[in-house]
Amino acid sequence: MQRFLNNPDAIVDETVAGFVRAHSDLVRLDPENNRVVVSQFAPKEGRVGIVTGGGSGHEPAFIGYTGKNMVDAVAVGELFSSPTAKSFHDSIRAANGGAGVAVLYGNYAGDNMNVKMAAKMAKKDGIEVATVVANDDVCSAPADEREKRRGVAGEILMWKIGGARAALGGSLAEVIAAAQKAIDSCRSVGVGLGPCTLPAVGHPNFQIEPGKMEMGIGHHGEPGTRVEDLRTADEIADDMTKIVLDDHDLPEGTEVAVLISGLGATPVNELYVLYDRVAQQIEARGLKVYRALVGNYFTSLEMVGASLTIMALDDELKELLDMETACPGF
Amino acid sequence: MTSIDNKGAGAVVTEIAAVIVDNKAYLSEIDGKIGDGDHGVNMAKGFARAAERLDPEGTLTDALELLSDVLMSEIGGSMGPLYGMTFSDMAESLGDAEKIDAANFAAMIRAGLEGVQDIGSAKVGDKTLLDAFVPAVDAFDAAITGGKSFAEALDAMKAAAAEGRDSTVDMVARVGRSSRLGERSRGVLDAGATSCAMILAGFAESIGKRLT
């Protein structure tokens, strides 16, 4: 595969530089840390700050969700590698408007450690920090070990809900409660049809044989639950919907938000092919689609594949989901 | 000799860094089998940056502190905080000691081990760097208790680290990214245990040769 590269070791810095240049109406670079992207609207005096962060290579996540009524500051890591504790700390500092900071991030070993250390550092600065750890990826651990599950595209909805609650003047406890409710209402699954390559490593970090697919794959190519023959889009959509909804147990009539994201190298039109079937399956189960998002929202370099996230909604989540937002990724 | 000067032992870290940089591709290759293949890249980047900036004529304490700062503030990932805490706690333990002898070296590596155990969640047998680190620290202590010299205890530590590293081949990963593989993680070395054994061997060799 041919790629746009200057120096593989500088690719993250170059990504961030281009990003803040392109979206200078919404975001800026932290003056002291070039691995921290800050919303042009942050910090807001008296409002809870929203912070996230993660490895690069998932664009538009994580930086793309920086903006108005969304995430206030994002810590940027190397490709597929957690940001440093320092970058999380600097993000917390940049997002702090004096009412506390909510760090809403995904369940990965490195992020857990670096956020924990950053929260300690911020506490020394006198900033109150609370966290929500996203764990929406159904196939990454069984239901009774939900705390082990990874965070994937459901994180976007968690940021949306948490950011909206903070914008409405919610306290730190209220923002954390809303974000926790959001991620608890989300279930996701990924399917991989082709691997991805870290430019500095130079070869794919896992293999998917031609004619095969991997159901339940993670956002960095973590192995799925089944490797099997590639099926039709409808059959794959049925399988994904079933995996997500069987884990969810939603009462008939529940309204849901549906997010289908490409993993980097899948054409967007194919995502709509998947969506058409997913929506029919959702309706066949007596559920109602309130809002649909289809596109490249949370990618994995140039992985071929898609993820499906279904979020159960109530009046509070609908109101927060509908709130006006301005950020590059949404 | 039974001790070395702390001042001038900054070079120990320079020498360890050279080993890590030399093994950049090897560490990434091992990591790529069950991880995401960037362990060597990130380790080499951190250790090389620290080696560039540290003063080999300075103390081991200062060199370890600088290495920790680079890993924690510039490398990130999982290995940044894990090794960052290790070296920071080692530096704190050694403090302003003038000499490095068997007693404060034992305390230093024990403090480093406790630092990594504190921030991480792994146990021995989980196929992580602890599988090299724990037996190495225990072997050093046992050798000293058994009346061996500092140099002999360093050799025992190095041997135990290598043995611990090799023991990870038969283990199934239980924490970290490779744990998602379950049984499929069996049969290959753990990259963290491999780099940890390299670091401990580096301490043993660099300090050992200065003791003679």
Side-chain angles (χ1 to χ4, degrees):
Chain A
M1 182 159 186
Q2 302 189 85
R3 311 182 73 141
F4 295 108
L5 270 182
N6 296 310
N7 168 9
D9 289 329
I11 194 163
V12 173
D13 292 325
E14 293 174 355
T15 303
V16 174
F19 179 81
V20 294
R21 199 185 287 271
H23 304 293
S24 59
D25 53 329
L26 297 168
V27 304
R28 61 193 163 89
L29 207 54
D30 183 87
E32 286 162 37
N33 187 335
N34 69 352
R35 292 300 178 89
V36 173
V37 172
V38 187
S39 162
Q40 289 287 15
F41 310 91
K44 270 216 169 91
E45 192 63 34
R47 292 273 190 272
V48 171
I50 305 288
V51 162
T52 191
S56 295
H58 301 297
E59 289 71 17
F62 296 70
I63 47 179
Y65 300 98
T66 322
K68 191 179 178 189
N69 300 346
M70 273 293 270
V71 177
D72 293 309
V74 175
V76 180
E78 293 292 323
L79 291 174
F80 288 4
S81 183
S82 172
T84 62
K86 182 178 191 296
S87 293
F88 273 115
H89 178 210
D90 287 342
S91 300
I92 292 168
R93 187 182 41 69
N96 177 36
V101 173
V103 184
L104 314 177
Y105 69 102
N107 191 21
Y108 295 91
D111 295 315
N112 280 323
M113 285 188 279
N114 286 303
V115 169
K116 190 167 145 190
M117 289 164 64
K120 267 191 198 169
M121 297 175 194
K123 207 176 155 193
K124 283 186 192 162
D125 305 338
I127 304 173
E128 198 185 346
V129 176
T131 60
V132 177
V133 186
N135 52 0
D136 51 309
D137 191 356
V138 169
C139 290
S140 54
D144 58 353
E145 292 180 285
R146 222 186 141 213
E147 74 286 352
K148 287 191 180 167
R149 287 181 176 176
R150 298 180 292 258
V152 284
E155 289 180 48
I156 298 166
L157 298 163
M158 169 178 75
W159 301 324
K160 177 77 188 76
I161 299 300
R165 177 53 76 211
L168 290 169
S171 67
L172 182 57
E174 287 165 346
V175 170
I176 289 293
Q180 186 69 57
K181 179 176 170 183
I183 202 66
D184 287 346
S185 306
C186 284
R187 297 290 188 283
S188 300
V189 65
V191 62
L193 312 186
C196 55
T197 299
L198 293 167
V201 175
H203 55 81
N205 61 353
F206 61 101
Q207 296 294 338
I208 295 176
E209 300 301 322
K212 298 285 180 186
M213 63 178 210
E214 190 159 336
M215 185 57 75
I217 200 162
H219 263 178
H220 312 89
E222 295 94 335
T225 42
R226 284 185 262 131
V227 176
E228 53 198 22
D229 291 341
L230 181 61
R231 288 174 283 155
T232 65
D234 282 355
E235 286 170 318
I236 297 170
D238 289 355
D239 198 3
M240 293 173 89
T241 314
K242 184 173 173 5
I243 288 170
V244 166
L245 290 179
D246 282 358
D247 198 81
H248 225 166
D249 195 24
L250 301 176
E252 215 169 295
T254 304
E255 291 181 281
V256 297
V258 181
L259 165 59
I260 291 186
S261 177
L263 294 181
T266 286
V268 172
N269 74 298
E270 293 177 20
L271 302 177
Y272 284 107
V273 172
L274 287 176
Y275 177 75
D276 196 39
R277 181 72 174 198
V278 166
Q280 290 172 36
Q281 290 296 305
I282 288 172
E283 280 158 22
R285 288 209 182 205
L287 309 174
K288 257 175 72 184
V289 178
Y290 177 77
R291 177 97 175 261
L293 299 159
V294 180
N296 288 318
Y297 286 93
F298 205 133
T299 63
S300 300
L301 292 170
E302 85 290 22
M303 205 192 294
V304 185
S307 70
L308 166 66
T309 302
I310 298 179
M311 181 195 213
L313 300 171
D314 62 7
D315 289 344
E316 182 199 8
L317 292 176
K318 273 166 35 183
E319 182 203 343
L320 296 173
L321 191 61
D322 287 342
M323 189 169 177
E324 181 218 343
T325 300
C327 64
F330 213 60
Chain B
M1 279 199 289
T2 56
S3 68
I4 64 167
D5 289 338
N6 192 356
K7 189 159 169 47
V12 169
V13 174
T14 315
E15 290 164 20
I16 292 172
V19 175
I20 295 293
V21 172
D22 283 348
N23 283 284
K24 175 178 164 177
Y26 174 64
L27 288 172
S28 282
E29 186 197 317
I30 304 174
D31 186 38
K33 290 180 182 167
I34 53 171
D36 53 12
D38 63 356
H39 185 58
V41 176
N42 290 336
M43 288 287 284
K45 196 186 275 184
F47 278 71
R49 280 184 194 172
E52 262 170 41
R53 294 176 208 168
L54 69 83
D55 174 13
E57 301 300 315
T59 63
L60 179 60
T61 308
D62 289 345
L64 289 171
E65 194 59 60
L66 188 137
L67 176 59
S68 168
D69 280 352
V70 171
L71 293 174
M72 289 217 257
S73 62
E74 297 175 39
I75 301 303
S78 299
M79 282 303 156
L82 287 169
Y83 278 130
M85 286 304 284
T86 301
F87 296 126
S88 157
D89 286 0
M90 281 184 177
E92 199 183 333
S93 170
L94 196 54
D96 52 11
E98 279 189 18
K99 300 276 184 190
I100 301 167
D101 58 18
N104 65 6
F105 184 81
M108 180 187 97
I109 55 175
R110 178 69 64 187
L113 172 60
E114 285 169 2
V116 73
Q117 284 173 319
D118 188 44
I119 183 92
S121 55
K123 295 181 187 63
V124 171
D126 287 350
K127 198 175 180 109
T128 71
L129 66 89
L130 289 184
D131 293 305
F133 209 161
V134 170
V137 171
D138 288 346
F140 186 88
D141 285 349
I144 295 298
T145 310
K148 305 279 192 203
S149 70
F150 188 8
E152 287 167 329
L154 286 170
D155 286 342
M157 174 184 83
K158 178 181 160 183
E163 204 179 310
R165 171 199 66 208
D166 293 343
S167 75
T168 62
V169 172
D170 289 328
M171 292 177 186
V172 173
R174 289 207 201 92
V175 299
R177 194 160 287 166
S178 54
S179 67
R180 327 284 189 190
L181 284 164
E183 274 297 325
R184 281 196 270 166
S185 65
R186 201 188 289 279
V188 289
L189 281 171
D190 176 63
T194 305
S195 63
C196 185
M198 277 175 195
I199 291 164
L200 292 169
F203 274 117
E205 284 162 19
S206 293
I207 295 176
K209 75 183 182 199
R210 287 170 170 80
L211 283 170
T212 54

